[in-house]
Amino acid sequence: MVKTPKASPAQQPPAPSPKAQPPVDDTPPLDFPIVGIGCSAGGLEALERFLTNVPAGCGFAFVIVQHLDPTHLSALPDLLQRFTSMPVTEIEDGLRLQPDSVYVIPPNKDLSLLHGKLHLLEPVATRGLRLPIDFFLRTLAEDLKEKAIGVILSGMGSDGVFGLRAIKEKTGLTLAQDPASAKADSMPHSAIQAGVVDIVAPPEALPGRIADYLRHPAHAQLFEINPRVAILTALDKIVILLRDRCGNDFSLYKTNTLNRRIERRMAVNQIAGIDDYVRYLRDNEHELDILFKELLIGVTNFFRDAEAWEYLRHEAIPALLAQHPDGKSLRAWVAACSTGEEAYSLAIVFKEAIAEARPERRFTLQIYATDLDTDAIEQARKGFYPDNIAADVSAERLARHFTHEESGGYRINKDIREMVVFAPQNIISDPPFTKLDILTCRNLLIYFGAQLQRKLLPLFYYAINPGGMLFLGSAESIGNAAGLFAPLTKKGRLFRRLNQPLPLTALEFPRKLPSETSETGRPAQTERPDNLGQLTDQLIQQTWAPAAVVVNGDGDILYFSGRTGKYLEPAAGKTNINIHAMAREGLREALTGVIRNALNNPLPILINGLRVGTNGGTQIVDLVVQALDKPEPLRGRVIIVFKDVRKPPSRRKSGKHAEDEPNSTLLQELRQAREALQVTHEEMQTSVEELKSSNEELQSTNEELQSTNEELTTSKEELQSLNEELQTVNAELQSKLDDLTWVRNDMTNLLNSTEIATIFLDSAMNLRRFTTHATKLFKLISGDVGRPLSHIVTDLDYPKLKDDALEVLNTLIFHETVTATHDGRWYRVRIMPYRTQDNVIDGVVITFIDITEIKLLEAKLRTQGA
């Protein structure tokens, strides 16, 4: 392994002055690419295919982060050194990166990068869920910005997704191994599914794609040559193509933002000129969709800028609640919510703030979360996130507000999910939500031009109630709208809406074409004659027929007929179209239990003389409630018909009649109230008994399931960690086995090439192994291994062979002699102890060297001498 030399004393920075000024890092910035590589199970093979195809002298530095067993030394640097001529180094703390080098993370460490130096950190947890790849790639993105390059290879889990997302946010390059070529496809598949990968290819193709990207002229100086003259026209064309394809106008985005994103796509597609890229976009709608996603920059995570969220929880929200009475329903809008992390973060923080401040106060928060990306909205609605969110969400919050699923990942709990309504919206052209108490628009304004910011901030002011809050990103400010908002924190991320008059001329409300005009501005054509009958029926129904509604057995309204506004009104808060919630005063009590009675009684139920409150007055109404049996689609439904009753003309009556009339009315209302109360009481008694029984069973089941779930979650995390460690150990053992196979092949060829017959015996003088040339002296076959040597037929005239071998085994002194064969051949026999690497004697080794020619030469010389 190659170790980076430490700086000599002459290279050390000078000692600080007596004024104790902080040391200044004057290390020059790195001028070569750094590639961060993350892998896990099956990563050794992928790394071999990757490194063997790195171009010689590429000038890159490769930093490899693999899931390793924290309790064992890693042989990964030695294994990787066989695949590349570049030096492979196990990282030490403070190591400065060098080009044309490979660096490997040591076991049981987290790795970070700062100013070109690698720093090792102790992991928070030795076992369980750890995300070392995400941790390093995030620091790589922060340190190198658009020069960061991240690669995800074979591995289990979803580690690396958030790291690639951070690199993509900084306009760096992200790559992943093709899942079809990976032994474990979970990590690359998760990254691709998250939409954070620019290039997908087999491992052997990735180094070439990186080199092509960095050599491309679009990556170097595409937008530096007179951008206003040479590129502005082409940029306008791209904006027009995007508007025609996606229906969204990016002309008011910052030019630098558009330039960087277009530059990345040109480099990825290896297109040199922007005019060529315009032609490519016109011929490739899929590339338009990818560019649209790039421009949306959907990068977010839970509790981003944790300090701001803590202030919101402990200071801002309690102060907001103090301004409102108990039971107040608050409204919030999360603009540009992406995949929903910030919307759910707001819901969690609001719940925690209420529980921490005054739990007895009942507040509700309705959150409207919107984004331009419909795919991101669909993902947000699912409320499902990978295990990686454990890096941003505390264990306490994960246990309280999330449910860990067996397939891996966390799902947001139902109580948090029901607080958020997701919808696609274009914040530039669609009307805003209004009467808001909280509005968050984080890390969106930084991509908008000044003109668009001047348009949106007054709209935000208009949408927020006086005293409400505006929550912006860490790099955003209110600019020229300082007279509309006051900062709540020194860093200026949270603002309070002031109560200042705002002229309507400062607002630019989004406009839609009126429904009665066509796209050309001409009035819509009149209805065709064949619709005349239908229109007439509708007119009669809406004007002269009594108002009515059709409901199901639970009272949910399925259809309105006529004008029902005098009898029904929308309830405050979350949308609810149940008739018991919408009925006006005087109807609500009378309708209690009537729907159920109607379903059990085929005859219509008449309720007369109800006094219904309407707009400050009262109206006498008769009700007809009847279950529907025909037609078949309406079976099981109930129709409720409202009939207005004219008040009788007022006449002067005698005192007795004048007193009896209100008494009779009161008695009728009292009778109706008693009947409704009796029905309600009976229903409640039955429901309470059923609920008690169900609640006891559910509590018992819930406790058992909760206990089982906790055990399974713990076991799964341990098994997953153990599995990854075993995968790594298995890969190293497989590599060692391959080495042993090659060593055995080498030894076999060596022994055969010496033409020396050799046999190996164990301590019991049984045959352990033999070479090919030994078969010329002994009648040996492969099945003789394990048999005593004395049982093997031999051509040697050496009856004391076994005795000499036992003597060597006992005395540990080698023995050498010369013996002949029955056919006249001569051999020098050497018997030596068999020593293991642990210096243990475990048998003998006998070699037979053919000296026949030497003996014949000796005999010939004797004859000549005689």
Side-chain angles (χ1 to χ4, degrees):
M1 292 191 296
V2 178
K3 300 293 183 181
T4 303
K6 296 183 179 179
S8 63
Q11 296 172 327
Q12 298 294 337
S17 65
K19 294 182 180 180
Q21 295 178 353
V24 178
D25 188 0
D26 56 355
T27 306
L30 301 180
D31 57 353
F32 54 87
I34 300 176
V35 181
I37 303 174
C39 58
S40 180
L44 184 61
E45 178 189 355
L47 288 171
E48 176 184 356
R49 295 163 63 185
F50 183 94
L51 292 176
T52 53
N53 287 275
V54 173
C58 62
F60 301 168
F62 300 93
V63 182
I64 298 174
V65 181
Q66 186 178 24
H67 295 167
L68 299 172
D69 185 346
T71 60
H72 292 81
L73 295 176
S74 173
L76 187 60
D78 296 328
L79 297 175
L80 295 181
Q81 189 64 78
R82 300 181 309 178
F83 309 142
T84 177
S85 59
M86 296 183 291
V88 181
T89 305
E90 185 171 80
I91 298 168
E92 296 178 347
D93 192 32
L95 182 64
R96 182 164 176 81
L97 293 173
Q98 300 293 334
D100 293 312
S101 302
V102 180
Y103 301 91
V104 180
I105 188 173
N108 198 30
K109 296 290 182 182
D110 282 337
L111 181 64
S112 64
L113 178 69
L114 181 64
H115 303 317
K117 289 185 179 180
L118 296 172
H119 299 274
L120 296 176
L121 304 172
E122 294 296 331
V124 177
T126 305
R127 297 282 185 178
L129 182 62
R130 288 182 54 204
L131 306 169
I133 301 173
D134 272 333
F135 186 86
F136 173 69
L137 292 183
R138 281 180 169 179
T139 65
L140 181 68
E142 289 296 329
D143 201 57
L144 299 183
K145 304 297 190 290
E146 70 277 1
K147 295 181 181 179
I149 301 173
V151 180
I152 294 297
L153 300 178
S154 173
M156 299 294 292
S158 58
D159 193 9
V161 173
F162 288 177
L164 290 189
R165 181 172 291 171
I167 292 176
K168 195 174 182 69
E169 181 185 11
K170 302 296 183 181
T171 67
L173 178 66
T174 57
L175 307 94
Q177 178 179 356
D178 186 351
S181 66
K183 280 190 175 181
D185 64 355
S186 179
M187 275 173 49
H189 180 74
S190 297
I192 295 169
Q193 287 295 106
V196 295
V197 178
D198 295 318
I199 297 174
V200 179
E204 57 269 18
L206 293 177
R209 298 295 295 274
I210 296 173
D212 292 341
Y213 172 82
L214 295 176
R215 284 195 301 265
H216 199 267
H219 187 266
Q221 293 181 344
L222 176 66
F223 293 98
E224 295 181 5
I225 305 173
N226 202 357
R228 291 187 177 275
V229 176
I231 296 173
L232 189 56
T233 303
L235 196 60
D236 289 341
K237 292 178 181 178
I238 293 175
V239 170
I240 292 171
L241 291 174
L242 286 169
R243 185 185 62 190
D244 293 342
R245 171 67 177 170
C246 309
N248 299 288
D249 185 7
F250 291 94
S251 61
L252 296 180
Y253 274 51
K254 288 182 179 177
T255 304
N256 289 339
T257 300
L258 297 175
N259 288 351
R260 287 197 303 269
R261 299 294 163 173
I262 294 171
E263 175 185 328
R264 286 187 73 258
R265 294 308 306 167
M266 290 176 63
V268 169
N269 290 288
Q270 294 295 289
I271 298 175
I274 190 168
D275 292 329
D276 296 331
Y277 186 61
V278 172
R279 285 191 290 271
Y280 181 70
L281 287 174
R282 295 188 65 181
D283 298 334
N284 191 332
E285 292 183 347
H286 180 62
E287 177 64 20
L288 274 172
D289 295 337
I290 295 177
L291 181 59
F292 172 68
K293 297 283 187 182
E294 288 270 345
L295 292 173
L296 296 183
I297 317 174
V299 178
T300 184
N301 51 271
F302 283 94
F303 304 103
R304 194 175 191 180
D305 301 327
E307 183 180 347
W309 285 103
E310 287 302 308
Y311 181 87
L312 188 71
R313 172 187 173 184
H314 296 293
E315 303 291 340
I317 291 181
L320 180 66
L321 298 180
Q323 303 174 16
H324 300 286
D326 292 354
K328 169 73 174 179
S329 179
L330 306 180
R331 289 161 58 91
W333 176 23
V334 180
C337 68
S338 188
T339 48
E341 285 91 335
E342 289 205 348
Y344 291 131
S345 297
L346 178 60
I348 291 172
V349 164
F350 183 81
K351 268 190 167 293
E352 292 175 348
I354 292 179
E356 187 176 289
R358 294 182 61 184
E360 70 277 4
R361 301 187 67 183
R362 298 185 177 273
F363 288 97
T364 59
L365 178 66
Q366 180 64 64
I367 302 173
Y368 302 95
T370 64
D371 196 273
L372 192 58
D373 188 352
T374 55
D375 293 336
I377 288 294
E378 286 301 319
Q379 184 176 346
R381 284 171 175 162
K382 295 176 183 177
F384 181 78
Y385 299 94
D387 291 328
N388 308 46
I389 65 171
D392 302 313
V393 185
S394 65
E396 180 184 358
R397 281 173 169 164
L398 284 175
R400 183 183 301 175
H401 304 296
F402 293 83
T403 302
H404 194 270
E405 298 198 348
E406 294 182 359
S407 58
Y410 292 91
R411 189 175 298 279
I412 201 79
N413 285 349
K414 185 178 180 182
D415 60 329
I416 301 296
R417 175 65 187 87
E418 289 179 346
M419 295 174 64
V420 188
V421 176
F422 291 98
Q425 186 207 38
N426 188 333
I427 194 174
I428 300 174
S429 60
D430 292 337
F433 291 88
T434 58
K435 298 182 180 180
L436 302 173
D437 299 285
I438 304 173
L439 193 158
T440 75
C441 183
R442 312 195 69 228
N443 302 301
L444 176 67
L445 297 180
I446 56 175
Y447 302 111
F448 289 169
Q451 179 182 351
L452 194 52
Q453 292 187 24
R454 286 195 299 268
K455 170 186 175 181
L456 288 178
L457 287 171
L459 277 180
F460 290 168
Y461 179 85
Y462 170 78
I464 303 175
N465 291 327
M469 290 184 295
L470 174 64
F471 194 9
L472 298 181
S474 58
E476 295 170 330
S477 66
I478 56 175
N480 295 328
L484 304 179
F485 299 95
L488 293 175
T489 61
K490 292 182 179 179
K491 294 186 178 180
R493 296 170 182 170
L494 273 163
F495 301 87
R496 179 173 56 85
R497 194 257 202 198
L498 301 176
N499 193 11
Q500 299 291 338
L502 181 67
L504 292 178
T505 54
L507 294 174
E508 297 182 30
F509 290 98
R511 298 178 179 178
K512 298 289 183 180
L513 291 175
S515 59
E516 66 271 8
T517 60
S518 66
E519 293 182 358
T520 60
R522 296 189 299 268
Q525 296 179 357
T526 58
E527 297 294 333
R528 294 181 298 176
D530 54 0
N531 290 333
L532 186 60
Q534 181 180 356
L535 292 174
T536 304
D537 291 340
Q538 291 179 356
L539 178 62
I540 295 173
Q541 182 181 15
Q542 294 290 337
T543 307
W544 287 282
V549 293
V550 176
V551 300
N552 60 15
D554 296 324
D556 296 328
I557 300 175
L558 308 177
Y559 183 76
F560 292 89
S561 175
R563 299 184 177 181
T564 58
K566 292 193 296 183
Y567 321 105
L568 308 175
E569 63 178 350
K574 190 175 180 180
T575 303
N576 188 348
I577 58 171
N578 190 280
I579 193 168
H580 298 293
M582 295 184 65
R584 288 182 180 270
E585 184 181 355
L587 278 179
R588 189 177 296 112
E589 298 80 3
L591 288 172
T592 304
V594 173
I595 296 175
R596 180 172 298 181
N597 293 340
L599 289 172
N600 298 326
N601 187 358
L603 299 176
I605 298 176
L606 304 179
I607 304 177
N608 298 324
L610 297 177
R611 293 183 176 271
V612 180
T614 57
N615 299 326
T618 58
Q619 171 69 45
I620 300 177
V621 178
D622 291 345
L623 287 185
V624 179
V625 184
Q626 183 172 13
L628 299 175
D629 189 55
K630 295 179 181 180
E632 181 63 28
L634 293 180
R635 179 172 296 177
R637 315 297 190 203
V638 175
I639 186 171
I640 302 174
V641 181
F642 308 95
K643 296 181 179 179
D644 288 346
V645 178
R646 291 185 179 181
K647 293 183 180 180
S650 58
R651 297 187 233 173
R652 298 186 64 184
K653 300 183 180 179
S654 63
K656 182 178 181 181
H657 291 289
E659 294 176 359
D660 290 344
E661 184 174 352
N663 290 338
S664 61
T665 303
L666 292 174
L667 289 174
Q668 183 179 1
E669 293 177 356
L670 180 60
R671 184 170 58 255
Q672 292 172 352
R674 286 177 175 174
E675 293 175 356
L677 183 61
Q678 180 64 27
V679 172
T680 303
H681 181 72
E682 294 175 355
E683 292 176 353
M684 286 186 62
Q685 287 288 350
T686 304
S687 300
V688 166
E689 292 178 1
E690 295 175 353
L691 288 174
K692 282 184 179 178
S693 177
S694 300
N695 185 53
E696 292 174 358
E697 296 175 0
L698 288 175
Q699 281 184 344
S700 175
T701 305
N702 182 58
E703 291 175 359
E704 295 174 1
L705 290 176
Q706 187 173 358
S707 175
T708 305
N709 183 58
E710 291 175 355
E711 295 173 2
L712 290 175
T713 301
T714 304
S715 300
K716 182 182 178 183
E717 291 178 355
E718 294 176 354
L719 288 174
Q720 184 175 356
S721 176
L722 181 61
N723 180 56
E724 291 185 356
E725 294 168 8
L726 289 176
Q727 291 274 7
T728 303
V729 173
N730 181 62
E732 295 181 1
L733 291 177
Q734 181 64 41
S735 178
K736 291 181 179 179
L737 181 61
D738 293 341
D739 290 343
L740 290 175
T741 302
W742 282 108
V743 170
R744 181 176 179 181
N745 292 336
D746 294 342
M747 292 300 299
T748 301
N749 284 278
L750 174 64
L751 293 174
N752 290 336
S753 66
T754 59
E755 298 185 353
I756 298 176
T758 306
I759 60 176
F760 300 85
L761 303 179
D762 60 17
S763 300
M765 296 295 110
N766 295 327
L767 189 65
R768 176 181 288 159
R769 195 183 306 277
F770 59 88
T771 63
T772 304
H773 289 84
T775 58
K776 296 178 180 180
L777 297 174
F778 298 88
K779 308 300 181 184
L780 292 169
I781 59 175
S782 59
D784 289 333
V785 174
R787 295 180 60 191
L789 182 63
S790 58
H791 292 182
I792 308 300
V793 178
T794 178
D795 292 337
L796 288 172
D797 186 11
Y798 190 6
K800 295 180 60 180
L801 177 61
K802 180 179 178 181
D803 296 335
D804 290 344
L806 289 172
E807 183 180 356
V808 170
L809 185 63
N810 293 327
T811 63
L812 304 183
I813 301 175
F814 80 92
H815 176 80
E816 185 173 332
T817 186
V818 176
T819 185
T821 63
H822 298 302
D823 56 359
R825 290 175 292 155
W826 288 87
Y827 286 88
R828 177 178 287 112
V829 182
R830 177 174 293 177
I831 308 174
M832 298 185 65
Y834 182 96
R835 295 178 183 272
T836 66
Q837 288 187 349
D838 300 328
N839 199 28
V840 175
I841 305 301
D842 190 19
V844 295
V845 182
I846 308 176
T847 59
F848 303 88
I849 303 174
D850 190 348
I851 58 173
T852 302
E853 293 183 1
I854 297 175
K855 284 291 185 180
L856 291 176
L857 182 58
E858 288 179 355
K860 185 176 180 180
L861 291 174
R862 287 194 194 98
T863 303
Q864 291 176 353

